[in-house]
Amino acid sequence: MQALIINILLGFVVVLALGLLIWSLNSSSNMTKKQLKVLWRIFLAAAMLLILELIPASFFAPLDNVFEGLSFIVVLILYLIDYLIIGYDILLKAFKGIKNGQVFDECFLMAVATLGALALALYDRSGDYTEAIAVMLFYQIGEWFQSYAVGKSRRNISELMDIRPDYANVLREDKISRVDPDEVQIGEIIVVNPGEKVPIDGKVIEGESTLNTSALTGESLPRDIVVGDEITSGCINMTGVLKIQTTKEFGESTVSKILDLVENAGSRKSKSEDFISKFARIYTPAVCISALLLALIPPLFNLLFLHAPADWHIWVYRALTFLVISCPCALVISIPLSFFAGIGGAGKAGILIKGSNYLETLSKTEIVMFDKTGTLTQGVFVVSDIHHNIMEKEKLLEYAALVESSSSHPISKSLIKAYGKEIDQKRVSDIKELSGNGVIAKVDGLEVAAGNDKLMAKLGIEHIECHSVGTIIHMAIDGKYAGHIVIADVLKANAEKAIAALKKAGIKKTVMLTGDRKNVAEKVAADLKIDEVYSELMPSDKVAKVEEFMEKKSARAKLAFVGDGINDAPVLRRADIGIAMGAMGSDAAIEAADVVLMDDDPLKIAKAVNISRKCLRIVYQNIVFAIGIKLICLILGMLGIANMWLAIFADVGVMVIAVLNAIRALFVDKL
Amino acid sequence: MKKTYKIDVDCANCANKMEEAARKTEGVKDAVVNFMALKMNVEFEEGQDPHKVMEEVYKNCKKVEDDCIIYIK
């Protein structure tokens, strides 16, 4: 019965290997030379083993007529050849391992287990060499599968992140030359043809087109771009020729930053990964020592105390079975692979996660704190009204725009936009930016202050409260109150859904922190159904608030902060997890954050949490499953229930299942 | 000083071993091997010549895993 199962199994391996070999001729298989070579060896060894199994013993019997025992030797040699075909590299590596003092090298252990099994077969004169060869064969199959699966997912993920531009077409002295993106200076003009990647961040100065931003944002909808628009590197130009004036060097451009981020993602290891590498470090020696004890103690015990036969070969066999299970490969590969796939899947959805440790922390998030402007609202402010103005509205707006002309705050931008005319920087001097309050500057020699009520209070200027909901910019010119400008922000389309999705994902508390006024903040919070809101906060207050929440929460629960502005950087760093809005967020925020949402969609926060949970679930499944099966096999092996066959199947099987399970983390579309 | 090197190695456990070997090399403050990205990030101690240290790292890695390559530029 067992012989039949073995033959069917070997037949299956032969057919499968042959199929894969034929498939490897197809260029899409992407097999490396090394993999192809091992595949050939698997095929040959399995085929030869199957033939040797199928040949009846009587076939070699006539050889015994030449001299007694010749058939035995011939069969042994044939099996040994087969053993060497499949295992020569393992033996070689094992030998090198011993030379370098690496006793616990898995090649060495595999070699000991299989050579031991061969020796036992010789000792018993059973002629059952199949087991040793099969162990080697399936070990190689497992390694091959692992190598192929890892290579494949590695390629998949790097294709996802295939945003690196190879060249830039730079316009110099009326000639277009193709250069390395690194060589392009700030302010030079580059030309991007349809189908090409935008290599460097810049501003469009000629042409219009649609952009495919999917590699960056996961958003499949193309984006239109016209003259004057800022353009982000990494997008693919789809329709028209664009002339772009660069605003950054290649190294500082979005695409370089993202690549840098992705490539270094793996260097921050999660606790689970650390646990597994530590576990692997003790697991192998522990199993080996147990194997040694198993081979020595029971027989000696039998001999010395029970005066029974030692049964050496039974116990040595069981010890060898231990060695087969001693390789921690399934575990060691599946955990980083799960994280890698999770980070890759998130990247595909436009969520950049800077390391597997952050993925792990993200999965434990219970409190999410938000910045308001640019995170939940579009940050595109529109001047909606001007009240109590002592001069013409246009004139007041002109002063406001001039004062705020050097600030990058979204409110300043909206003022400049509302003014709509060219700004003459020469008219402005002595700009003092008071973080959280406003700006004071000299315009045409007059002191102009623009900011909130706190600024007015600070300057000792009486101001008129406004009843409109929105951001109020009070203006004082030459020490006199000059009216206020109402600026309203628009909620992001998905903001409400985002909060609901977070609740659904099991986030216990949502909190909004904002520097904005109380009535605006509370209206937004009520519209979005946010649990708690703290308004009129200075940047330092935000840090204090986050710290307050961090102290209150339990140690296990993690706190995430989502923000975008420059003043959010300290808060992003302080929180357990900092999530930055990417495309619109400032560079400082992206650098300080642990997770970057490329398309600024708040709905992605819940998605990121779900991705992290799925990934961690897979990681735990793999840890429990792999360690569990190994322990069961060790116990069964010790009792003599599991033989080497079962041991190698358990080992390879666990690995295959764990690797396939790990790859599941790559699929994040439905989360 | 920190540097990143491209590596080539077959199995995850071997990568772990390389990391261990690199960390123990003199002149290396810390080393992280990222098996999935096939990269080794090495942080050198002050005043060490990275190239020389990396040659030692490579030697040590070869000892624990013969089948590995570190691309030292």
Side-chain angles (χ1 to χ4, degrees):
Chain A
M1 184 61 192
Q2 201 192 353
L4 183 69
I5 295 175
I6 290 168
N7 289 342
I8 291 172
L9 204 67
L10 285 173
F12 180 69
V13 171
V14 171
V15 172
L16 197 67
L18 190 65
L20 283 170
L21 279 172
I22 293 168
W23 183 60
S24 74
L25 299 174
N26 181 337
S27 57
S28 71
S29 66
N30 274 321
M31 250 177 252
T32 61
K33 259 188 190 159
K34 222 171 179 179
Q35 286 166 353
L36 204 61
K37 194 173 152 202
V38 177
L39 193 59
W40 268 110
R41 285 169 53 202
I42 290 171
F43 170 68
L44 286 177
M48 187 166 168
L49 191 58
L50 182 63
I51 293 166
L52 286 172
E53 283 295 302
L54 290 177
I55 295 172
S58 54
F59 180 81
F60 292 105
L63 285 173
D64 280 335
N65 297 337
V66 182
F67 68 85
E68 188 61 33
L70 180 61
S71 71
F72 176 80
I73 292 166
V74 168
V75 170
L76 177 64
I77 287 172
L78 284 174
Y79 273 105
L80 277 180
I81 290 172
D82 200 16
Y83 177 75
L84 287 178
I85 289 177
I86 195 69
Y88 77 87
D89 55 336
I90 307 266
L91 293 178
L92 220 60
K93 270 174 105 177
F95 180 71
K96 280 184 188 156
I98 307 169
K99 224 173 57 185
N100 290 321
Q102 294 290 314
V103 195
F104 295 129
D105 178 78
E106 58 258 19
C107 289
F108 173 67
L109 298 171
M110 238 29 213
V112 171
T114 50
L115 286 175
L118 280 177
L120 275 182
L122 274 176
Y123 171 79
D124 288 346
R125 285 243 160 197
S126 63
D128 182 14
Y129 314 115
T130 321
E131 195 164 37
I133 299 171
V135 165
M136 214 45 132
L137 180 66
F138 285 102
Y139 176 76
Q140 292 278 27
I141 291 173
E143 293 289 297
W144 185 88
F145 173 80
Q146 172 194 326
S147 148
Y148 186 73
V150 170
K152 182 96 186 158
S153 45
R154 197 178 274 145
R155 262 194 312 279
N156 270 347
I157 289 163
S158 55
E159 266 163 31
L160 283 179
M161 281 292 144
D162 186 22
I163 50 174
R164 186 189 297 282
D166 306 316
Y167 59 88
N169 304 317
V170 66
L171 194 66
R172 284 175 186 158
E173 292 154 9
D174 288 333
K175 266 193 290 188
I176 294 175
S177 46
R178 190 177 268 212
V179 299
D180 194 293
D182 259 332
E183 290 168 20
V184 180
Q185 312 276 319
I186 296 177
E188 280 197 292
I189 312 289
I190 51 168
V191 178
V192 183
N193 297 313
E196 287 182 339
K197 288 171 204 148
V198 178
I200 300 164
D201 291 357
K203 203 170 194 167
V204 179
I205 53 164
E206 198 183 309
E208 53 188 71
S209 178
T210 42
L211 295 178
N212 176 356
T213 62
S214 65
L216 287 179
T217 61
E219 174 66 63
S220 51
L221 219 64
R223 187 185 289 174
D224 291 322
I225 190 152
V226 292
V227 173
D229 283 350
E230 297 276 334
I231 190 164
T232 324
S233 52
C235 304
I236 297 168
N237 182 14
M238 287 162 72
T239 48
V241 179
L242 289 174
K243 268 191 193 162
I244 297 164
Q245 180 160 38
T246 60
T247 51
K248 280 178 187 163
E249 279 175 32
F250 177 64
E252 287 298 307
S253 282
T254 312
V255 70
S256 306
K257 290 219 160 126
I258 291 170
L259 284 169
D260 200 45
L261 220 151
V262 171
E263 278 166 10
N264 289 316
S267 45
R268 296 182 185 93
K269 288 191 179 171
S270 59
K271 278 187 199 138
S272 328
E273 278 169 290
D274 271 345
F275 165 74
I276 285 303
S277 27
K278 276 188 198 127
F279 179 85
R281 240 168 266 155
I282 19 177
Y283 174 79
T284 310
V287 172
C288 293
I289 291 165
S290 334
L292 195 65
L293 295 178
L294 196 65
L296 292 177
I297 291 180
L300 289 178
F301 187 80
N302 279 350
L303 275 181
L304 297 177
F305 299 103
L306 302 177
H307 304 289
D311 289 334
W312 285 102
H313 70 275
I314 291 178
W315 292 102
V316 168
Y317 180 82
R318 289 183 190 179
L320 293 177
T321 309
F322 260 48
L323 292 186
V324 173
I325 322 173
S326 69
C327 174
C329 268
L331 269 175
V332 179
I333 182 59
S334 68
I335 307 308
L337 185 60
S338 310
F339 279 114
F340 191 64
I343 290 175
K348 192 165 61 172
I351 303 163
L352 293 183
I353 298 171
K354 288 193 187 169
S356 35
N357 52 340
Y358 301 122
L359 201 67
E360 196 170 44
T361 315
L362 196 59
S363 71
K364 294 178 192 146
T365 307
E366 287 189 8
I367 305 169
V368 179
M369 298 179 101
F370 297 92
D371 169 50
K372 181 177 74 76
T373 312
T375 305
L376 293 170
T377 62
Q378 287 181 3
V380 189
F381 295 85
V382 186
V383 172
S384 65
D385 228 337
I386 297 173
H387 298 145
H388 308 288
N389 42 318
I390 57 164
M391 57 182 75
E392 269 176 54
K393 285 184 180 175
E394 283 73 29
K395 192 74 191 157
L396 190 68
L397 201 55
E398 184 179 338
Y399 275 121
L402 282 166
V403 170
E404 303 260 2
S405 59
S406 61
S407 167
S408 64
H409 196 277
I411 293 198
S412 319
K413 283 186 184 156
S414 70
L415 283 169
I416 294 161
K417 205 170 170 192
Y419 173 56
K421 286 176 219 159
E422 198 71 20
I423 287 190
D424 183 7
Q425 292 274 8
K426 281 185 222 119
R427 291 172 61 192
V428 196
S429 60
D430 303 332
I431 300 172
K432 267 183 287 175
E433 210 163 322
L434 304 166
S435 181
N437 285 329
V439 188
I440 304 174
K442 278 220 161 80
V443 180
D444 302 338
L446 290 174
E447 193 179 72
V448 179
N452 54 16
D453 44 357
K454 281 186 214 155
L455 182 73
M456 293 297 127
K458 213 178 212 169
L459 295 173
I461 296 167
E462 213 170 302
H463 64 275
I464 304 166
E465 281 293 331
C466 184
H467 304 289
S468 316
V469 170
T471 304
I472 313 296
I473 307 290
H474 294 283
M475 298 284 298
I477 296 169
D478 210 13
K480 278 197 274 313
Y481 191 64
H484 56 236
I485 302 170
V486 183
I487 293 173
D489 193 1
V490 193
L491 282 180
K492 280 192 186 168
N494 279 334
E496 198 180 341
K497 271 194 226 159
I499 305 294
L502 279 172
K503 286 267 157 67
K504 209 177 144 207
I507 299 298
K508 293 202 176 117
K509 195 181 266 178
T510 49
V511 183
M512 189 172 85
L513 304 179
T514 177
D516 212 340
R517 292 182 347 149
K518 200 171 175 191
N519 60 346
V520 183
E522 283 182 349
K523 183 166 185 312
V524 169
D527 283 349
L528 298 178
K529 302 187 186 71
I530 289 177
D531 300 333
E532 281 180 44
V533 53
Y534 298 91
S535 53
E536 297 177 32
L537 298 172
M538 308 280 278
S540 57
D541 296 338
K542 287 190 186 173
V543 178
K545 268 279 169 256
V546 167
E547 280 177 348
E548 192 186 310
F549 271 89
M550 302 253 293
E551 264 169 42
K552 270 196 285 183
K553 73 179 175 55
S554 67
R556 275 194 47 135
K558 299 290 175 196
L559 183 146
F561 180 84
V562 194
D564 73 318
I566 298 171
N567 54 19
D568 285 337
V571 201
L572 286 168
R573 271 209 195 90
R574 190 64 195 84
D576 291 321
I577 279 275
I579 303 176
M581 293 289 172
M584 247 175 50
S586 65
D587 288 353
I590 293 172
E591 246 153 61
D594 310 313
V595 177
V596 180
L597 306 180
M598 291 307 295
D599 61 354
D600 291 1
D601 182 352
L603 202 51
K604 290 275 168 73
I605 305 165
K607 185 158 182 144
V609 171
N610 285 334
I611 289 172
S612 70
R613 297 226 168 120
K614 178 177 177 180
C615 184
L616 264 290
R617 214 158 46 228
I618 290 172
V619 166
Y620 290 135
Q621 280 164 5
N622 278 346
I623 292 178
V624 170
F625 175 69
I627 295 183
I629 297 283
K630 289 217 175 218
L631 283 182
I632 292 171
C633 281
L634 286 176
I635 293 167
L636 291 181
M638 194 164 73
L639 299 174
I641 299 168
N643 56 10
M644 259 188 210
W645 281 94
L646 191 71
I648 191 71
F649 279 130
D651 209 49
V652 174
V654 166
M655 171 147 81
V656 170
I657 294 168
V659 165
L660 290 177
N661 196 21
I663 289 173
R664 230 161 40 86
L666 191 58
F667 305 110
V668 298
D669 287 348
K670 284 189 187 144
L671 293 177
Chain B
M1 186 176 37
K2 268 186 181 175
K3 277 196 157 190
T4 305
Y5 297 89
K6 227 189 126 19
I7 56 164
D8 212 347
V9 65
D10 273 344
C11 72
N13 201 29
C14 313
N16 270 346
K17 284 189 203 159
M18 285 172 73
E19 182 175 292
E20 186 85 346
R23 274 188 192 153
K24 281 183 187 155
T25 308
E26 213 166 302
V28 175
K29 198 169 173 197
D30 196 17
V32 178
V33 171
N34 179 357
F35 173 62
M36 291 311 305
L38 286 180
K39 285 216 166 100
M40 180 187 264
N41 292 5
V42 187
E43 194 181 343
F44 299 98
E45 272 165 13
E46 291 294 316
Q48 294 281 353
D49 174 19
H51 197 81
K52 266 188 198 151
V53 175
M54 279 316 287
E55 274 173 6
E56 278 307 304
V57 168
Y58 196 12
K59 255 188 232 161
N60 289 341
C61 285
K62 276 275 178 199
K63 268 185 207 160
V64 290
E65 172 58 33
D66 189 60
D67 215 9
C68 73
I69 303 169
I70 303 175
Y71 297 94
I72 308 172
K73 266 170 255 164

PDB file of all heavy atoms in Angstrom, chain A residues 543-562:
ATOM      1  N   VAL A 543       0.368  68.815  20.126  1.00  0.00           N
ATOM      2  CA  VAL A 543       1.286  67.813  20.681  1.00  0.00           C
ATOM      3  C   VAL A 543       0.844  67.460  22.096  1.00  0.00           C
ATOM      4  O   VAL A 543       0.774  66.283  22.465  1.00  0.00           O
ATOM      5  CB  VAL A 543       2.745  68.333  20.689  1.00  0.00           C
ATOM      6  CG1 VAL A 543       3.668  67.301  21.309  1.00  0.00           C
ATOM      7  CG2 VAL A 543       3.191  68.663  19.283  1.00  0.00           C
ATOM      8  N   ALA A 544       0.503  68.496  22.873  1.00  0.00           N
ATOM      9  CA  ALA A 544       0.092  68.262  24.254  1.00  0.00           C
ATOM     10  C   ALA A 544      -1.163  67.401  24.309  1.00  0.00           C
ATOM     11  O   ALA A 544      -1.265  66.481  25.129  1.00  0.00           O
ATOM     12  CB  ALA A 544      -0.151  69.602  24.943  1.00  0.00           C
ATOM     13  N   LYS A 545      -2.113  67.695  23.419  1.00  0.00           N
ATOM     14  CA  LYS A 545      -3.360  66.921  23.382  1.00  0.00           C
ATOM     15  C   LYS A 545      -3.074  65.454  23.044  1.00  0.00           C
ATOM     16  O   LYS A 545      -3.611  64.537  23.657  1.00  0.00           O
ATOM     17  CB  LYS A 545      -4.313  67.496  22.318  1.00  0.00           C
ATOM     18  CG  LYS A 545      -5.259  68.533  22.860  1.00  0.00           C
ATOM     19  CD  LYS A 545      -6.456  67.883  23.542  1.00  0.00           C
ATOM     20  CE  LYS A 545      -7.256  68.921  24.304  1.00  0.00           C
ATOM     21  NZ  LYS A 545      -7.085  68.912  25.734  1.00  0.00           N
ATOM     22  N   VAL A 546      -2.223  65.260  22.033  1.00  0.00           N
ATOM     23  CA  VAL A 546      -1.885  63.893  21.633  1.00  0.00           C
ATOM     24  C   VAL A 546      -1.227  63.170  22.809  1.00  0.00           C
ATOM     25  O   VAL A 546      -1.557  62.022  23.121  1.00  0.00           O
ATOM     26  CB  VAL A 546      -0.961  63.887  20.389  1.00  0.00           C
ATOM     27  CG1 VAL A 546      -0.351  62.517  20.174  1.00  0.00           C
ATOM     28  CG2 VAL A 546      -1.753  64.298  19.164  1.00  0.00           C
ATOM     29  N   GLU A 547      -0.341  63.872  23.491  1.00  0.00           N
ATOM     30  CA  GLU A 547       0.326  63.250  24.641  1.00  0.00           C
ATOM     31  C   GLU A 547      -0.660  62.903  25.737  1.00  0.00           C
ATOM     32  O   GLU A 547      -0.561  61.853  26.364  1.00  0.00           O
ATOM     33  CB  GLU A 547       1.423  64.181  25.163  1.00  0.00           C
ATOM     34  CG  GLU A 547       2.668  64.071  24.309  1.00  0.00           C
ATOM     35  CD  GLU A 547       3.773  65.023  24.716  1.00  0.00           C
ATOM     36  OE1 GLU A 547       3.507  65.934  25.508  1.00  0.00           O
ATOM     37  OE2 GLU A 547       4.891  64.834  24.204  1.00  0.00           O
ATOM     38  N   GLU A 548      -1.617  63.793  25.929  1.00  0.00           N
ATOM     39  CA  GLU A 548      -2.644  63.559  26.942  1.00  0.00           C
ATOM     40  C   GLU A 548      -3.408  62.266  26.626  1.00  0.00           C
ATOM     41  O   GLU A 548      -3.611  61.416  27.492  1.00  0.00           O
ATOM     42  CB  GLU A 548      -3.585  64.765  26.916  1.00  0.00           C
ATOM     43  CG  GLU A 548      -4.553  64.873  28.069  1.00  0.00           C
ATOM     44  CD  GLU A 548      -5.505  66.038  27.828  1.00  0.00           C
ATOM     45  OE1 GLU A 548      -5.019  67.151  27.517  1.00  0.00           O
ATOM     46  OE2 GLU A 548      -6.724  65.826  27.923  1.00  0.00           O
ATOM     47  N   PHE A 549      -3.782  62.114  25.351  1.00  0.00           N
ATOM     48  CA  PHE A 549      -4.512  60.912  24.948  1.00  0.00           C
ATOM     49  C   PHE A 549      -3.632  59.662  25.054  1.00  0.00           C
ATOM     50  O   PHE A 549      -4.095  58.590  25.388  1.00  0.00           O
ATOM     51  CB  PHE A 549      -5.043  61.067  23.521  1.00  0.00           C
ATOM     52  CG  PHE A 549      -6.397  61.687  23.461  1.00  0.00           C
ATOM     53  CD1 PHE A 549      -6.543  63.057  23.380  1.00  0.00           C
ATOM     54  CD2 PHE A 549      -7.538  60.898  23.510  1.00  0.00           C
ATOM     55  CE1 PHE A 549      -7.796  63.642  23.345  1.00  0.00           C
ATOM     56  CE2 PHE A 549      -8.800  61.469  23.470  1.00  0.00           C
ATOM     57  CZ  PHE A 549      -8.934  62.847  23.385  1.00  0.00           C
ATOM     58  N   MET A 550      -2.347  59.841  24.738  1.00  0.00           N
ATOM     59  CA  MET A 550      -1.437  58.696  24.792  1.00  0.00           C
ATOM     60  C   MET A 550      -1.292  58.193  26.218  1.00  0.00           C
ATOM     61  O   MET A 550      -1.121  56.996  26.450  1.00  0.00           O
ATOM     62  CB  MET A 550      -0.051  59.087  24.256  1.00  0.00           C
ATOM     63  CG  MET A 550      -0.081  59.612  22.851  1.00  0.00           C
ATOM     64  SD  MET A 550       0.572  58.504  21.615  1.00  0.00           S
ATOM     65  CE  MET A 550       2.253  58.436  22.018  1.00  0.00           C
ATOM     66  N   GLU A 551      -1.338  59.129  27.161  1.00  0.00           N
ATOM     67  CA  GLU A 551      -1.206  58.709  28.557  1.00  0.00           C
ATOM     68  C   GLU A 551      -2.451  57.996  29.045  1.00  0.00           C
ATOM     69  O   GLU A 551      -2.380  57.059  29.823  1.00  0.00           O
ATOM     70  CB  GLU A 551      -0.935  59.936  29.431  1.00  0.00           C
ATOM     71  CG  GLU A 551       0.544  60.127  29.694  1.00  0.00           C
ATOM     72  CD  GLU A 551       0.818  61.470  30.317  1.00  0.00           C
ATOM     73  OE1 GLU A 551       0.050  61.875  31.211  1.00  0.00           O
ATOM     74  OE2 GLU A 551       1.798  62.111  29.892  1.00  0.00           O
ATOM     75  N   LYS A 552      -3.598  58.494  28.574  1.00  0.00           N
ATOM     76  CA  LYS A 552      -4.868  57.948  29.068  1.00  0.00           C
ATOM     77  C   LYS A 552      -5.140  56.541  28.553  1.00  0.00           C
ATOM     78  O   LYS A 552      -5.710  55.724  29.239  1.00  0.00           O
ATOM     79  CB  LYS A 552      -6.021  58.872  28.646  1.00  0.00           C
ATOM     80  CG  LYS A 552      -6.319  59.958  29.670  1.00  0.00           C
ATOM     81  CD  LYS A 552      -7.676  60.586  29.403  1.00  0.00           C
ATOM     82  CE  LYS A 552      -7.623  61.514  28.200  1.00  0.00           C
ATOM     83  NZ  LYS A 552      -8.861  62.218  27.904  1.00  0.00           N
ATOM     84  N   LYS A 553      -4.749  56.289  27.318  1.00  0.00           N
ATOM     85  CA  LYS A 553      -5.102  55.011  26.691  1.00  0.00           C
ATOM     86  C   LYS A 553      -4.294  53.864  27.293  1.00  0.00           C
ATOM     87  O   LYS A 553      -3.263  54.080  27.937  1.00  0.00           O
ATOM     88  CB  LYS A 553      -4.856  55.088  25.182  1.00  0.00           C
ATOM     89  CG  LYS A 553      -3.380  55.077  24.834  1.00  0.00           C
ATOM     90  CD  LYS A 553      -3.182  55.138  23.366  1.00  0.00           C
ATOM     91  CE  LYS A 553      -1.727  55.243  22.994  1.00  0.00           C
ATOM     92  NZ  LYS A 553      -0.833  54.235  23.494  1.00  0.00           N
ATOM     93  N   SER A 554      -4.774  52.654  27.055  1.00  0.00           N
ATOM     94  CA  SER A 554      -4.024  51.499  27.546  1.00  0.00           C
ATOM     95  C   SER A 554      -2.796  51.301  26.666  1.00  0.00           C
ATOM     96  O   SER A 554      -2.741  51.789  25.536  1.00  0.00           O
ATOM     97  CB  SER A 554      -4.906  50.252  27.500  1.00  0.00           C
ATOM     98  OG  SER A 554      -5.178  49.923  26.168  1.00  0.00           O
ATOM     99  N   ALA A 555      -1.812  50.589  27.192  1.00  0.00           N
ATOM    100  CA  ALA A 555      -0.537  50.451  26.478  1.00  0.00           C
ATOM    101  C   ALA A 555      -0.702  49.697  25.164  1.00  0.00           C
ATOM    102  O   ALA A 555       0.028  49.922  24.209  1.00  0.00           O
ATOM    103  CB  ALA A 555       0.476  49.741  27.371  1.00  0.00           C
ATOM    104  N   ARG A 556      -1.661  48.802  25.125  1.00  0.00           N
ATOM    105  CA  ARG A 556      -1.832  47.976  23.926  1.00  0.00           C
ATOM    106  C   ARG A 556      -2.460  48.752  22.774  1.00  0.00           C
ATOM    107  O   ARG A 556      -2.152  48.536  21.624  1.00  0.00           O
ATOM    108  CB  ARG A 556      -2.718  46.785  24.255  1.00  0.00           C
ATOM    109  CG  ARG A 556      -1.974  45.619  24.843  1.00  0.00           C
ATOM    110  CD  ARG A 556      -2.886  44.444  24.792  1.00  0.00           C
ATOM    111  NE  ARG A 556      -3.483  44.382  23.438  1.00  0.00           N
ATOM    112  CZ  ARG A 556      -3.585  43.278  22.760  1.00  0.00           C
ATOM    113  NH1 ARG A 556      -3.175  42.169  23.270  1.00  0.00           N
ATOM    114  NH2 ARG A 556      -4.128  43.262  21.570  1.00  0.00           N
ATOM    115  N   ALA A 557      -3.401  49.633  23.151  1.00  0.00           N
ATOM    116  CA  ALA A 557      -4.091  50.402  22.128  1.00  0.00           C
ATOM    117  C   ALA A 557      -3.129  51.429  21.545  1.00  0.00           C
ATOM    118  O   ALA A 557      -2.311  51.990  22.256  1.00  0.00           O
ATOM    119  CB  ALA A 557      -5.289  51.096  22.743  1.00  0.00           C
ATOM    120  N   LYS A 558      -3.212  51.627  20.246  1.00  0.00           N
ATOM    121  CA  LYS A 558      -2.314  52.582  19.617  1.00  0.00           C
ATOM    122  C   LYS A 558      -3.091  53.786  19.124  1.00  0.00           C
ATOM    123  O   LYS A 558      -4.281  53.694  18.824  1.00  0.00           O
ATOM    124  CB  LYS A 558      -1.579  51.921  18.447  1.00  0.00           C
ATOM    125  CG  LYS A 558      -0.734  50.744  18.861  1.00  0.00           C
ATOM    126  CD  LYS A 558       0.475  51.172  19.655  1.00  0.00           C
ATOM    127  CE  LYS A 558       1.243  49.961  20.153  1.00  0.00           C
ATOM    128  NZ  LYS A 558       2.180  50.308  21.207  1.00  0.00           N
ATOM    129  N   LEU A 559      -2.368  54.889  19.050  1.00  0.00           N
ATOM    130  CA  LEU A 559      -2.994  56.139  18.638  1.00  0.00           C
ATOM    131  C   LEU A 559      -2.403  56.590  17.305  1.00  0.00           C
ATOM    132  O   LEU A 559      -1.192  56.624  17.138  1.00  0.00           O
ATOM    133  CB  LEU A 559      -2.750  57.186  19.723  1.00  0.00           C
ATOM    134  CG  LEU A 559      -3.383  58.558  19.541  1.00  0.00           C
ATOM    135  CD1 LEU A 559      -3.776  59.111  20.896  1.00  0.00           C
ATOM    136  CD2 LEU A 559      -2.460  59.513  18.831  1.00  0.00           C
ATOM    137  N   ALA A 560      -3.287  56.876  16.367  1.00  0.00           N
ATOM    138  CA  ALA A 560      -2.818  57.348  15.069  1.00  0.00           C
ATOM    139  C   ALA A 560      -3.188  58.806  14.923  1.00  0.00           C
ATOM    140  O   ALA A 560      -4.256  59.229  15.363  1.00  0.00           O
ATOM    141  CB  ALA A 560      -3.450  56.532  13.954  1.00  0.00           C
ATOM    142  N   PHE A 561      -2.292  59.583  14.327  1.00  0.00           N
ATOM    143  CA  PHE A 561      -2.614  60.974  14.033  1.00  0.00           C
ATOM    144  C   PHE A 561      -2.523  61.175  12.527  1.00  0.00           C
ATOM    145  O   PHE A 561      -1.567  60.745  11.896  1.00  0.00           O
ATOM    146  CB  PHE A 561      -1.652  61.918  14.759  1.00  0.00           C
ATOM    147  CG  PHE A 561      -1.953  63.361  14.479  1.00  0.00           C
ATOM    148  CD1 PHE A 561      -2.926  64.024  15.211  1.00  0.00           C
ATOM    149  CD2 PHE A 561      -1.298  64.047  13.470  1.00  0.00           C
ATOM    150  CE1 PHE A 561      -3.234  65.351  14.936  1.00  0.00           C
ATOM    151  CE2 PHE A 561      -1.601  65.373  13.191  1.00  0.00           C
ATOM    152  CZ  PHE A 561      -2.572  66.026  13.931  1.00  0.00           C
ATOM    153  N   VAL A 562      -3.557  61.805  11.989  1.00  0.00           N
ATOM    154  CA  VAL A 562      -3.575  62.050  10.552  1.00  0.00           C
ATOM    155  C   VAL A 562      -3.463  63.539  10.314  1.00  0.00           C
ATOM    156  O   VAL A 562      -4.252  64.309  10.865  1.00  0.00           O
ATOM    157  CB  VAL A 562      -4.900  61.559   9.927  1.00  0.00           C
ATOM    158  CG1 VAL A 562      -4.767  61.514   8.420  1.00  0.00           C
ATOM    159  CG2 VAL A 562      -5.299  60.215  10.479  1.00  0.00           C
TER     160      VAL A 562
END
